[in-house]
């Protein structure tokens, strides 16, 4: 069989790490092929080699049967390969057309003046041909995240890409945008484009792909037709053991209100309104989830209630006490634990040891410190206990926190924050970038906190995670809570309408299966 891409015996060695170990990967013309694996499995490294960002230590790449040496992304583009990165590379004040032609601008017949009219015509032609429905004259800053992603795809198509690599393409999309992306990808494949998806979302693997290749610890485990497998089998291939995809959560009555926010207003770093009069309560023994597309005020909300950002107005009460003007240390001492959304920026001191990181926030307290002097014997005893209890994979407690994998860094933070047995646990994007095995562990620990009668405020971009863990779901859009729904009554379609700023009356007309009452 002929392939548009053949990667043969690809090995990539970094100092002390074999990222890719003798991997074979084949892509057929007109297929959607998912590359699946845990964090650090080597899937992104493999695609960076195909796109020319890395050079293989050994191995061979063939494009349409011809052996090629792709030294950089420009050469990849010449071979018809385009890559859409997880974090978009667009200039927000520019228009769609200006972003797409950047570096490849059409000029007038004299070659001295930009032919913007021709550029817009070309972009509109490609957009129409592949059903992308993008306004070439719109500014990027005025477009939704889903449309911005289409612009990135258009940019690759404009440069003649027949092979498209999409890195975590659904990470920041609403359910409706994910469905629309699936339709677009299938149309591209039907038109003869060959698509490689890097994703960790097993449901989307099954919905979107024709074939899937699983990589674990740098080695290829299997490559198979999607229709011959299922999510349970794929998860086991990824992790090397059986994984429970849904957490065991017993129905229980929630208790008294532990945490209350009323009329909260917060500004972003530019001085613009980011949180616009938000109200919500979190009760003992429940998980309240804040759901929404990234950039709708979630970050500013969490920073404000944890003392990291100034509150413009409103009330914040913990156990009936106003903590609005408390310092971060005072908030923590009052019984709040915080798993931050950015583990490197807010969660860890990467150059410090794992043991030192596991006492951050209470390092000044007994038994770890007395008169400002750290008792390292107690610190190390404490770290060993948490490492064992929370299954932190590390040689020992003395290694630098920055040397651990992302999943184990996250486990270390969760261990530290849950050790405090808080009244309120704030978990912001607790599984961002984690593989299915680590996600299973984190979810189990969050439900344990809930079952121990703690109040849990979960902020997540992952809708599956929200629906799996939450007792109630508050949807945020443009800094406002659109509606709060019992999780047992919620559907993805209903939540997606709210996440996109849709009418709550339309959303409320959906039943738990996502059907309107008129459709039943």
């Amino acid at each position: 069989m002929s392939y548009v891409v053949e990667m043969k015996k690809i090995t990539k060695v970094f100092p002390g790490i074999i990222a890719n170990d003798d991997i074979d990967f084949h892509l057929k013309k007109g297929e959607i092929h998912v590359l699946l694996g845990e964090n650090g499995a080597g899937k992104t490294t493999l695609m960076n080699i195909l796109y020319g960002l890395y050079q293989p230590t050994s191995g061979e790449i063939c494009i349409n049967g011809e052996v090629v040496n792709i030294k950089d992304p420009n050469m990849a583009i010449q071979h018809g390969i385009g890559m859409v990165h997880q974090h978009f590379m667009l200039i927000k004040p520019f228009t769609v057309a200006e972003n797409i032609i950047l570096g490849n601008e059409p000029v007038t017949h004299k070659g001295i003046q930009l032919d913007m009219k021709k550029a817009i015509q070309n972009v509109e032609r490609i957009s129409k041909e592949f059903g992308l429905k993008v306004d070439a004259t719109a500014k990027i800053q005025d477009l939704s995240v889903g449309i911005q992603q289409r612009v990135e795809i258009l940019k690759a198509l404009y440069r003649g890409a027949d092979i498209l690599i999409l890195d975590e393409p659904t990470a920041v999309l609403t359910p409706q945008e994910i469905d629309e992306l699936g339709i677009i990808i299938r149309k591209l494949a039907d038109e003869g484009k060959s698509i490689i998806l890097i994703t960790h979302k097993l449901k989307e693997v099954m919905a979107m792909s024709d074939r899937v290749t699983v990589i674990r610890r740098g080695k290829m485990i299997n490559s198979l037709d999607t229709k011959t497998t299922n999510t349970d089998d794929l998860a086991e291939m990824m992790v090397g053991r059986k994984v429970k995809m849904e957490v065991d959560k017993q129905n229980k009555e929630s208790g008294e209100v532990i945490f209350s926010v009323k009329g909260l207003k917060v500004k972003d770093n530019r001085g613009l309104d980011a949180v616009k009069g938000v109200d919500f309560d979190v009760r003992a023994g429940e998980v309240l989830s804040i759901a929404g597309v990234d950039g709708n005020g979630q970050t500013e909300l969490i920073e404000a209630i944890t003392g990291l950002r100034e509150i413009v107005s409103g009330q914040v009460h913990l156990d009936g006490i106003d903590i609005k003007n408390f310092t971060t240390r005072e908030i923590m001492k009052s019984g709040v634990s915080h798993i931050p959304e950015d583990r490197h920026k807010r969660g860890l001191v990467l150059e410090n040891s794992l043991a030192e990181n596991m006492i951050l926030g209470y390092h000044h307290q007994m038994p770890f410190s007395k008169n400002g002097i750290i008792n390292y014997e107690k610190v190390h005893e404490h770290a060993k206990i948490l490492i064992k209890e929370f299954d932190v994979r590390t040689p020992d407690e003395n290694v630098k926190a920055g040397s651990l994998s992302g999943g184990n860094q996250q486990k270390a933070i969760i261990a530290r924050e849950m050790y405090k047995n808080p009244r309120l646990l704030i978990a912001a994007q607790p599984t961002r970038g984690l593989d299915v095995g680590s996600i299973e562990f984190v979810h189990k620990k969050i439900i344990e906190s809930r079952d121990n009668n703690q109040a849990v405020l979960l902020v997540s971009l992952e809708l599956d995670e929200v629906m799996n863990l939450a007792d109630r779901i508050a949807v945020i859009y443009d800094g406002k809570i659109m509606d709060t729904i019992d999780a047992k009554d919620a559907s993805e379609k209903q939540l997606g309408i709210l996440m996109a700023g849709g009418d709550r009356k339309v959303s409320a007309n959906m039943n738990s299966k996502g059907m309107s009452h008129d459709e039943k």
Side-chain angles (χ1 to χ4, degrees):
M1 178 181 288
S2 61
Y3 296 98
V4 293
V5 173
E6 295 177 86
M7 302 184 78
K8 303 176 181 179
K9 308 288 185 187
I10 298 294
T11 295
K12 178 61 178 177
V13 179
F14 295 103
I17 300 172
I18 302 176
N20 293 149
D21 189 356
D22 207 33
I23 290 179
D24 290 327
F25 177 82
H26 302 94
L27 179 68
K28 300 175 186 176
K29 181 176 177 62
E31 80 167 345
I32 302 171
H33 195 140
V34 162
L35 197 56
L36 189 65
E38 294 183 275
N39 298 326
K43 54 190 185 296
T44 299
T45 299
L46 187 68
M47 288 301 100
N48 282 339
I49 289 171
L50 180 58
Y51 194 57
L53 292 169
Y54 293 152
Q55 298 303 302
T57 304
S58 62
E60 179 179 89
I61 299 174
C62 296
I63 304 296
N64 295 315
E66 177 187 350
V67 177
V68 297
N69 181 16
I70 304 175
K71 295 182 179 180
D72 55 46
N74 285 330
M75 292 189 68
I77 292 167
Q78 291 171 16
H79 287 292
I81 302 170
M83 188 167 185
V84 177
H85 299 273
Q86 183 175 353
H87 302 289
F88 304 151
M89 298 181 180
L90 300 172
I91 301 173
K92 291 189 175 182
F94 281 19
T95 66
V96 168
E98 288 167 344
N99 269 276
I100 288 172
I101 67 172
L102 198 59
N104 194 21
E105 298 88 348
V107 293
T108 59
H109 66 281
K110 294 182 179 180
I112 58 173
Q113 188 175 355
L114 175 65
D115 191 344
M116 203 63 215
K117 182 178 179 180
K118 182 179 179 181
I120 291 172
Q121 288 174 344
N122 287 340
V123 170
E124 289 178 341
R125 174 180 54 80
I126 298 170
S127 176
K128 184 178 180 180
E129 180 181 352
F130 293 102
L132 291 166
K133 300 177 182 177
V134 176
D135 180 0
T137 62
K139 289 189 175 182
I140 298 297
Q141 63 195 16
D142 298 327
L143 301 179
S144 70
V145 174
I147 300 299
Q148 288 183 39
Q149 186 177 67
R150 296 185 192 188
V151 176
E152 287 282 20
I153 294 172
L154 257 176
K155 192 163 63 174
L157 295 173
Y158 181 85
R159 285 160 173 74
D162 289 316
I163 300 160
L164 275 173
I165 306 167
L166 307 181
D167 189 2
E168 296 288 354
T170 64
V172 294
L173 303 185
T174 67
Q176 282 82 359
E177 287 172 331
I178 291 171
D179 291 343
E180 290 168 4
L181 177 65
I183 294 169
I184 289 168
I185 290 174
R186 179 53 61 189
K187 182 173 177 58
L188 289 168
D190 290 343
E191 294 287 338
K193 306 296 181 183
S194 305
I195 316 292
I196 303 170
L197 297 182
I198 303 173
T199 184
H200 68 277
K201 297 182 179 181
L202 296 176
K203 186 168 68 174
E204 288 161 22
V205 174
M206 300 305 299
M208 292 186 182
S209 68
D210 300 306
R211 281 200 301 149
V212 56
T213 292
V214 182
I215 298 178
R216 185 170 76 234
R217 297 179 182 177
K219 293 180 178 291
M220 193 190 84
I221 302 302
N222 204 350
S223 187
L224 64 165
D225 290 340
T226 306
K227 64 185 178 184
T228 66
T229 188
N230 56 63
T231 55
D232 290 339
D233 289 347
L234 289 174
E236 186 172 353
M237 282 185 242
M238 286 173 64
V239 181
R241 62 173 176 81
K242 289 193 177 294
V243 178
K244 289 193 71 170
M245 303 306 294
E246 292 189 7
V247 68
D248 290 328
K249 185 178 71 172
Q250 302 300 319
N251 291 329
K252 65 188 292 289
E253 290 293 326
S254 57
E256 75 278 14
V257 171
I258 298 292
F259 187 66
S260 176
V261 171
K262 302 294 182 188
L264 190 69
K265 294 184 179 180
V266 185
K267 293 187 180 295
D268 63 16
N269 292 336
R270 300 168 297 170
L272 302 177
D273 293 336
V275 180
K276 305 172 182 178
V278 161
D279 300 330
F280 63 84
D281 296 325
V282 192
R283 296 179 175 274
E286 81 160 348
V287 177
L288 174 72
S289 181
I290 306 287
V293 177
D294 199 13
N296 278 283
Q298 298 98 314
T299 297
E300 291 83 1
L301 171 64
I302 296 302
E303 287 180 349
I305 63 181
T306 55
L308 297 169
R309 182 177 292 271
E310 182 181 355
I311 293 172
V312 175
S313 63
Q315 300 176 8
V316 181
H317 287 88
L318 179 69
D319 286 323
I321 299 172
D322 186 359
I323 63 170
K324 183 174 70 174
N325 295 316
F326 280 21
T327 64
T328 299
R329 177 175 288 187
E330 288 170 338
I331 291 170
M332 292 170 63
K333 192 174 180 180
S334 299
V336 178
S337 285
H338 176 206
I339 301 169
E341 65 177 359
D342 187 334
R343 54 181 167 264
H344 289 174
K345 182 179 179 181
R346 300 289 194 193
L348 298 167
V349 182
L350 297 177
E351 290 300 309
N352 282 22
S353 72
L354 177 58
E356 289 168 330
N357 273 278
M358 282 184 151
I359 61 165
L360 287 180
Y362 43 96
H363 55 278
H364 58 288
Q365 299 174 358
M366 292 285 287
F368 308 114
S369 175
K370 184 177 181 181
N371 299 325
I373 299 174
I374 299 290
N375 183 336
Y376 276 98
E377 182 178 350
K378 294 293 185 183
V379 171
H380 285 266
E381 287 176 3
H382 174 71
K384 288 176 181 177
I385 291 170
L386 293 187
I387 286 168
K388 183 178 180 180
E389 181 181 345
F390 285 80
D391 190 32
V392 182
R393 309 283 177 84
T394 177
D396 56 50
E397 75 277 12
N398 297 303
V399 302
K400 289 183 178 181
S403 70
L404 299 179
S405 70
N408 285 300
Q409 289 177 356
Q410 194 74 352
K411 286 180 182 180
I413 294 170
I414 290 168
R416 180 186 70 214
E417 297 304 314
M418 290 188 173
Y419 162 79
K420 304 172 189 177
N421 194 27
R423 292 285 285 160
L424 171 69
L425 173 65
I426 299 173
Q429 319 301 347
T431 60
R432 174 177 275 170
L434 302 189
D435 55 67
V436 290
S438 297
I439 289 171
E440 176 194 39
F441 179 87
V442 172
H443 285 182
K444 178 183 175 183
K445 288 298 180 182
I446 287 174
I447 293 302
E448 283 180 7
S449 291
R450 173 241 199 201
D451 291 345
N452 287 334
N453 221 33
Q454 296 167 8
V456 180
L457 177 61
L458 170 69
V459 179
S460 177
L461 305 177
E462 301 288 348
L463 200 51
D464 285 344
E465 178 169 77
V466 168
M467 298 188 72
N468 198 13
L469 297 180
D471 296 293
R472 291 186 300 131
I473 303 168
V475 180
I476 191 169
Y477 173 78
D478 192 27
K480 300 174 183 177
I481 299 295
M482 301 298 291
D483 205 353
T484 301
I485 308 164
D486 283 341
K488 65 180 182 296
D489 299 326
S491 70
E492 287 192 8
K493 186 173 182 180
Q494 176 188 23
L495 294 173
I497 290 171
L498 294 169
M499 288 165 65
D503 191 333
R504 72 178 67 191
K505 292 181 181 178
V506 174
S507 168
N509 196 37
M510 298 288 175
N511 67 7
S512 61
K513 295 181 180 179
M515 297 171 59
S516 74
H517 294 300
D518 294 335
E519 293 173 318
K520 289 193 291 183

